[in-house]
């Protein structure tokens, strides 16, 4: 330790002077001495512990001798006086050995136990000398033997400690030997390897310098060394090639070239500021446009001050050409904000410009001129009519080309500040950031409609399109972009539904009151929060009494409003984009239940209702097939119910979709038949398998003969067309009797069963056979003539 303290201030000087290797040798030599000393000490400790173990064994032998003497005395084989003398001699020998080999903590314990044992033996011998053999035997059993056992245990414990100490000392001694040898070899290796290390380092430095020079020469990155005024002192080959056009007679190889000459005028201030502000402790990164043979190129330049390095002596600028990367980035940003087909702004860019225009209008409305300056933001939503017919008739190439031509046509009829965007499919939007009034916005819509009315020529084919346009105006119809977009969508929907061409949003035509808008927000969350669930209402064959199907009916358990009937939220969903997700949700849950029934050995056909908006989804058949496959349900186990009014929204499109669904094996049913206006010709061409009689006629049969006649006629019509007839809304036994007499195939209604959860439905289905006997037995008796020619199917 003294040597270390003496050398401690010298070692840093040695490290700086010799690169650290001499200091390492000195330290190794210093470490060698205590390592050797410790090794000898550990060896000595190990030998002492072994000797102590041997002496302890002698002590244990003496203890056994004392125990034997005590036993011979108590057994009468040795006179007590003789035994006492020999015991005294053995104890003296054991005490002498114990005092030599025992550490203080072990000596105290062992001597105390030995003394207690000696007193117990003395007491036993005293009783023997007094002729009290019984008491002596009792002391031997209760005191002497336990004391002897404790002394032996203590001796054995200490023997284990000595053995462990000896083993540890031997191990540390071996380690010391190895460490001493290792330090010796290490010092030798350090001394012998120093020369090789120095030579290798020199050789490596030469190779690194050559490699760096080659990398700089071959790299496309430019490397320049300048002073703080921007005068070049060194140019890499790539920098020379780039800046060669700027070399003058005085700087043939670029030496002395003023870098600012090659920098874009707009970036010269950036270069000057970077060169002046750079410090040795930190670098900076700037972007510069440099002009070469191929024009302006953008470089990302790292600037470092290496003026203090004699080998460099200036500011180092290392530049990487990022021209292509910036172009790619601009292209990606353009794709993210523009439609890939038409190149028009997409929904994202439209929303951003819409928000900016609304903020600008809000600021203008609160300017010194006051709100009477009349500035507002108009939004037109355009949907092309019968666009699908062009796709289906001529092919998607014509449809795509038509969409491409529509953009420029619309732009040509607008001002420079207006925006035309494609929202997807055949929907476009026009943003009027400086519309003066609703009338002005409607006038623009009229102009655009006339513009689109002119025919388009695609590959020599003249095509004409019409458009339905919804119009909204900020301030008048709202100030929030999302609400205005929604109301423009509603206005467009009204324009299409009523064949008006153009329709400005009208609150009277919008069922989305504040309360319903709040309900709409809750409905969006209900899909995520599992608040929507299904009830199932059975469909029963009137001829066999069997349960032949179940209609899935959606229910909403609102967390605060309680159970909300479907009539309160389904129309709301149909006027927004929610009807699609809701339909997929109902399909998923209904098919999952159908799969569970099939697994339980009780397969049942399930029916799901579709809305008019669903029939406008060209991908619906693929989505249905995907869900059927996901749940492993055969297509014939699914019935899709559509109303007449839904079909008549777009008859051609609806028929094509239903045909694709039927081709996949899905059954199609016309719901609420009789309340719409489907012609017989259209009915005949639809791929349907079932007519569901409107419940209003079934409920009124008993009171109105005309309604009874309508029901009977619909049943006859269905049978003549080869379709099944289903009556819903059956609530009385009389109605059930009449329907059976008319030959109705299937009944559904409260008389048979109310809509139930799946679990309650299963319990009802189990009990149904007994109920069916009571309810349907009268139907199997001879029927009283009702003037009908029909017989049950």
């Amino acid at each position: 330790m003294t040597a270390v303290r003496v050398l401690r201030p010298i070692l840093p000087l040695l490290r700086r002077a010799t690169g650290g290797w001499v200091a390492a040798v000195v330290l190794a030599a210093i470490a060698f001495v205590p390592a050797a000393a410790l090794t000898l000490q550990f060896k000595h400790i190990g030998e002492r512990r072994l000797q102590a173990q041997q002496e302890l064994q002698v002590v244990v032998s003496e203890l056994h001798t004392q125990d034997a003497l005590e036993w011979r005395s108590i057994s009468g084989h040795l006179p007590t006086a003789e035994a006492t003398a020999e015991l005294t001699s053995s104890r003296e020998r054991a005490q002498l050995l114990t005092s030599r080999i025992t550490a203080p903590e072990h000596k105290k314990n062992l001597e105390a136990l030995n003394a207690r044992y000696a007193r117990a033996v003395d007491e036993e011998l005293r009783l023997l000398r007094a002729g009290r053999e019984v008491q002596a035997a009792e002391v031997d059993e209760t005191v002497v033997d336990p004391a002897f056992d404790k002394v032996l245990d203590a001796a054995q414990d200490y023997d284990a400690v000595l053995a462990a100490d000896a083993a540890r000392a031997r191990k540390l001694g071996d380690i010391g030997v190895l460490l001493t040898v290792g330090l010796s070899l290490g010092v030798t290796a350090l001394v012998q390897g120093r020369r090789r290390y120095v030579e290798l380092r020199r050789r490596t430095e030469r190779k690194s310098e050559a490699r760096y020079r080659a990398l700089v020469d071959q790299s496309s990155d430019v490397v320049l060394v300048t002073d703080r005024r921007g005068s070049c002192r060194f140019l890499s080959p790539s920098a020379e090639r780039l800046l060669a056009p700027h070399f003058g007679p005085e700087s043939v190889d670029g030496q002395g070239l003023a870098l600012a000459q090659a920098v874009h005028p707009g970036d010269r201030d950036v270069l000057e500021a970077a060169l002046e502000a750079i410090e040795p402790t930190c670098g900076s990164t700037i972007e510069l446009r440099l002009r070469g043979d191929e024009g302006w190129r953008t470089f990302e330049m790292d600037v470092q001050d290496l003026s203090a390095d004699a080998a460099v002596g200036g500011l180092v600028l290392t530049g990487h050409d990022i021209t292509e990367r910036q172009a790619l980035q601009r292209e990606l940003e353009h794709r993210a904000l523009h439609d890939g087909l038409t190149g028009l702004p997409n929904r994202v860019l439209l929303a951003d410009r819409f928000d900016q225009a609304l903020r600008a209008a809000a600021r203008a409305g609160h300017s010194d001129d006051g709100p009477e300056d009349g500035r507002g933001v108009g939004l037109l939503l355009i949907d092309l009519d019968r666009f699908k017919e062009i796709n289906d008739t001529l092919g998607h190439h014509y449809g795509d080309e038509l969409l491409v031509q529509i953009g420029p046509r619309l732009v040509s009829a607008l001002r420079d500040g207006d925006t035309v965007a494609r929202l997807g499919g055949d929907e476009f939007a026009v943003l009027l950031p400086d519309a003066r009034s609703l009338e002005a916005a409607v006038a623009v819509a009229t102009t655009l409609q006339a513009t689109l009315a002119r025919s388009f020529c695609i590959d020599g084919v003249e095509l004409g399109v019409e458009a339905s346009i919804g119009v909204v105006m900020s301030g008048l119809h709202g100030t929030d972009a999302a609400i205005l977009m929604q109301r423009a969508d509603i206005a467009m929907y009204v324009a299409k539904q009523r064949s008006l061409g153009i329709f400005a949003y009208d609150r009277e035509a919008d069922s989305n009151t504040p309360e319903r808008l709040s309900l709409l927000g809750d409905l969006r969350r209900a899909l995520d929060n599992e608040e929507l669930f299904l009830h199932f209402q059975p469909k029963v064959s009137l001829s066999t009494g069997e349960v032949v199907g179940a209609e899935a009916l959606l229910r909403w358990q609102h967390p605060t409003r309680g159970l909300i009937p479907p009539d309160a939220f389904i129309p709301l969903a149909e006027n927004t984009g929610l009807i699609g997700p809701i339909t997929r949700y109902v399909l998923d849950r209904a098919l999952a239940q159908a799969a569970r029934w099939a697994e339980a050995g009780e397969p049942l056909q399930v029916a799901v209702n579709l809305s008019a908006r669903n029939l406008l989804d060209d991908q619906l058949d693929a989505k249905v097939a995907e869900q059927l496959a996901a749940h492993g349900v055969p297509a014939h186990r699914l019935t899709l119910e559509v109303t007449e009014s839904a079909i008549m929204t777009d008859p051609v499109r609806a028929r094509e979709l239903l045909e694709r669904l039927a081709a996949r094996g899905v059954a199609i049913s016309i719901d609420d038949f009789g309340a719409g206006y489907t012609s017989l010709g259209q009915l005949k061409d639809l791929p349907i398998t079932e007519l569901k009689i409107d419940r209003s006629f079934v409920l009124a049969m008993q009171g109105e003969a005309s309604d009874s006649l309508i029901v009977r006629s619909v049943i006859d019509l269905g049978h003549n067309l080869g379709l099944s007839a289903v009556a819903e809304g059956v609530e009385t036994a009389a109605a059930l009797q009449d329907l059976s007499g008319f030959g109705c195939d299937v009944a559904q209604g409260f008389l048979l069963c109310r809509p139930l959860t799946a679990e309650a439905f299963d319990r009802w289905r189990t009990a149904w056979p007994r109920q069916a006997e009571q309810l349907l037995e009268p139907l199997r008796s001879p029927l009283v003539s009702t003037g009908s020619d029909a017989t049950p199917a």
Side-chain angles (χ1 to χ4, degrees):
M1 298 300 294
T2 302
V4 172
R5 285 196 297 270
V6 170
L7 290 173
R8 183 176 295 163
I10 303 175
L11 290 177
L13 299 176
L14 289 174
R15 279 196 294 269
R16 285 195 295 271
T18 64
W21 76 276
V22 173
V25 172
V26 172
L27 286 174
I30 293 173
F32 177 83
V33 175
L38 287 174
T39 300
L40 294 176
Q41 183 176 355
F42 287 136
K43 290 291 186 181
H44 180 62
I45 290 173
E47 291 172 357
R48 287 174 56 191
R49 291 298 185 269
L50 290 174
Q51 182 181 357
Q53 277 187 284
Q54 294 171 358
E55 293 174 346
L56 183 62
Q57 293 298 323
V58 176
V59 172
V60 172
S61 298
E62 291 294 339
L63 290 175
H64 282 290
T65 300
Q66 294 171 25
D67 182 59
L69 291 171
E70 178 265 333
W71 179 84
R72 290 175 63 194
S73 176
I74 195 173
S75 63
H77 289 82
L78 183 69
T80 303
E82 185 180 347
T84 301
E86 292 187 18
L87 279 171
T88 301
S89 175
S90 177
R91 285 173 187 167
E92 290 175 353
R93 290 193 300 274
Q95 185 176 2
L96 178 62
L97 290 172
T98 301
S99 64
R100 284 213 318 255
I101 65 175
T102 308
E105 64 273 12
H106 294 290
K107 175 181 180 180
K108 184 177 181 180
N109 183 39
L110 192 58
E111 287 182 345
L113 292 173
N114 199 12
R116 188 181 307 167
Y117 170 63
R119 286 195 298 271
V121 173
D122 289 344
E123 175 64 17
E124 180 184 9
L125 294 176
R126 186 185 65 79
L127 291 173
L128 286 174
R129 284 193 300 269
R132 297 165 63 181
E133 287 82 0
V134 175
Q135 289 86 344
E138 184 178 351
V139 169
D140 179 68
E141 182 178 354
T142 59
V143 178
V144 174
D145 288 345
F148 178 75
D149 292 338
K150 288 183 178 180
V151 173
L152 285 182
D153 289 342
Q156 290 173 356
D157 291 343
Y158 187 51
D159 184 68
V161 170
L162 291 174
D165 288 347
R168 184 163 50 251
R170 285 196 302 273
K171 183 176 180 181
L172 292 174
D174 293 341
I175 293 174
V177 171
L178 292 175
L179 179 61
T180 304
V181 173
L183 288 172
S184 302
L185 294 175
V187 170
T188 303
L190 283 172
V191 173
Q192 292 180 349
R194 171 60 182 173
R195 183 177 300 170
R196 290 196 299 272
Y197 167 75
V198 172
E199 180 61 27
L200 179 63
R201 182 175 178 180
R202 290 173 180 170
R203 192 160 52 244
T204 302
E205 287 176 352
R206 288 194 296 271
K207 288 182 178 179
S208 297
E209 183 178 352
R211 185 183 302 111
Y212 177 76
R213 170 63 65 179
L215 289 174
V216 171
D217 290 346
Q218 300 299 323
S219 174
S220 60
D221 290 354
V222 298
V223 180
L224 306 96
V225 178
T226 72
D227 58 19
R228 290 192 178 273
R229 295 188 306 274
S231 177
C232 295
R233 298 179 179 178
F234 168 80
L235 286 82
S236 66
S238 58
E240 290 181 0
R241 290 191 295 270
L242 175 70
L243 303 179
H246 304 282
F247 292 172
E250 70 285 358
S251 58
V252 177
D253 58 355
Q255 299 287 334
L257 171 68
L259 183 58
Q261 296 177 11
V263 175
H264 191 281
D267 296 339
R268 289 173 184 170
D269 291 342
V270 176
L271 173 64
E272 182 179 351
L275 296 181
E276 290 179 356
I278 192 68
E279 296 180 1
T281 56
C282 60
S284 65
T285 302
I286 58 176
E287 285 188 8
L288 295 178
R289 285 167 289 179
L290 302 178
R291 186 166 187 173
D293 289 335
E294 300 178 359
W296 293 108
R297 309 286 296 181
T298 303
F299 284 81
E300 186 177 70
M301 308 288 290
D302 292 327
V303 185
Q304 290 182 304
D305 184 1
L306 298 182
S307 302
D309 190 336
V312 180
L315 307 182
V316 179
L317 286 77
T318 306
H320 179 67
D321 192 340
I322 60 172
T323 308
E324 283 75 17
R325 189 180 76 188
Q326 286 188 336
L328 177 60
Q329 184 175 353
R330 288 192 296 269
E331 175 65 20
L332 293 175
E333 290 174 353
H334 183 273
R335 291 184 182 182
L337 299 175
H338 291 78
D339 177 58
L341 177 64
T342 63
L344 295 172
N346 61 13
R347 189 183 293 271
V348 176
L349 183 54
L350 174 68
D352 180 66
R353 292 184 180 178
F354 200 4
D355 285 334
Q356 293 182 31
L358 289 173
R359 288 196 294 269
R363 289 193 297 269
H366 293 84
S367 64
D368 295 336
D369 295 334
E372 64 272 7
D373 64 354
R375 182 177 182 184
V377 181
L379 180 68
L380 315 180
L381 237 58
I382 305 172
D383 185 82
L384 303 182
D385 298 332
R386 297 189 299 278
F387 174 76
K388 187 175 183 302
E389 295 180 16
I390 294 175
N391 266 342
D392 294 344
T393 304
L394 299 176
H396 288 281
H397 165 70
Y398 284 85
D400 290 346
E401 185 59 32
L402 175 62
L403 294 175
V404 171
Q405 292 189 20
I406 283 176
R409 181 79 65 88
L410 293 174
V411 171
S412 67
L414 297 170
R415 295 172 299 183
D416 291 339
D418 300 334
T419 297
V420 177
R422 183 186 177 212
L423 304 184
D426 57 354
E427 286 191 11
F428 292 82
V430 175
L431 179 66
L432 307 174
D434 196 18
R436 296 296 172 180
S437 64
L438 177 63
E439 291 74 15
V442 172
V444 173
T446 304
T447 301
L448 294 179
Q449 194 175 47
T451 299
L452 294 175
R454 301 198 309 269
S455 62
F456 294 83
C457 182
I458 301 175
D459 292 346
V461 179
E462 296 287 334
L463 298 177
V465 295
E466 297 178 358
S468 297
I469 305 177
V471 184
V472 293
M473 187 75 186
S474 68
L476 183 61
H477 298 136
T479 57
D480 180 74
I483 291 178
L484 289 169
M485 283 287 290
Q486 180 190 23
R487 291 178 173 173
D489 186 60
I490 292 171
M492 182 192 71
Y493 183 73
V494 172
K496 178 180 284 288
Q497 193 176 44
R498 300 181 184 177
S499 300
L500 298 176
I502 299 173
F503 184 78
Y505 175 80
D506 184 358
R507 192 176 184 82
E508 296 298 325
D510 184 5
S511 59
N512 295 321
T513 62
E515 180 181 356
R516 291 175 68 84
L517 284 177
S518 174
L519 194 64
L520 177 62
D522 292 344
L523 183 57
R524 295 180 191 276
R525 290 188 292 274
L527 272 170
D528 298 327
N529 297 338
E530 300 290 333
E531 295 172 16
L532 301 179
F533 61 96
L534 296 186
H535 276 176
F536 295 90
Q537 188 173 33
K539 298 162 72 173
V540 176
S541 170
L542 291 181
S543 60
T544 65
E546 294 181 359
V547 180
V548 296
E551 182 177 1
L553 301 170
L554 187 63
R555 298 289 184 264
W556 180 9
Q557 185 65 45
H558 194 281
T560 59
R561 304 186 189 188
L563 190 63
I564 299 178
D567 292 346
F569 66 88
I570 291 298
L572 186 63
E574 288 181 340
N575 289 332
T576 65
L578 278 180
I579 193 62
I582 287 178
T583 300
R584 290 195 295 273
Y585 177 87
V586 173
L587 269 172
D588 178 72
R589 297 306 172 90
L591 291 175
Q593 184 57 49
R596 284 192 286 270
W597 282 330
E599 289 174 2
E602 297 179 343
L604 198 64
Q605 190 176 52
V606 292
V608 174
N609 291 281
L610 297 181
S611 73
R613 283 256 179 154
N614 294 138
L615 297 183
L616 299 178
D617 183 0
D618 294 335
Q619 300 300 317
L620 180 64
D621 58 316
K623 294 174 183 176
V624 169
E626 181 180 342
Q627 293 218 32
L628 286 168
H631 292 287
V633 176
H636 68 269
R637 295 261 170 81
L638 174 64
T639 297
L640 296 178
E641 298 184 1
V642 294
T643 62
E644 291 179 275
S645 58
I647 293 174
M648 293 311 296
T649 300
D650 192 337
V652 176
R653 197 170 181 176
R655 186 184 72 248
E656 292 174 352
L657 175 62
L658 295 178
E659 286 176 347
R660 294 199 299 273
L661 286 165
R664 294 180 182 271
V666 177
I668 308 298
S669 173
I670 300 295
D671 197 12
D672 298 337
F673 186 78
Y677 43 88
T678 307
S679 69
L680 291 178
Q682 291 171 326
L683 186 65
K684 176 176 64 66
D685 293 335
L686 292 173
I688 58 178
T689 58
E690 179 181 275
L691 290 181
K692 290 192 75 172
I693 306 166
D694 188 80
R695 61 184 296 112
S696 62
F697 299 125
V698 176
L699 291 172
M701 277 196 312
Q702 307 306 310
E704 294 290 340
S706 59
D707 288 319
S708 179
L709 181 61
I710 290 174
V711 170
R712 181 175 179 178
S713 299
V714 170
I715 294 171
D716 289 342
L717 175 63
H719 289 163
N720 290 332
L721 292 175
L723 308 175
S724 296
V726 179
E728 56 182 345
V730 180
E731 298 186 0
T732 65
L736 189 66
Q737 182 75 38
D738 286 348
L739 289 168
S740 179
F742 296 157
C744 185
D745 300 298
V746 177
Q748 177 183 346
F750 287 177
L751 177 66
L752 304 173
C753 182
R754 290 178 175 272
L756 302 170
T757 63
E759 294 78 8
F761 183 95
D762 290 339
R763 291 193 296 271
W764 172 89
R765 190 177 181 186
T766 301
W768 168 245
R770 293 191 299 274
Q771 300 175 19
E773 291 179 4
Q774 301 173 2
L775 190 61
L776 301 181
E777 185 61 30
L779 305 184
R780 298 189 174 91
S781 60
L783 299 177
V784 179
S785 174
T786 58
S788 171
D789 299 332
T791 59

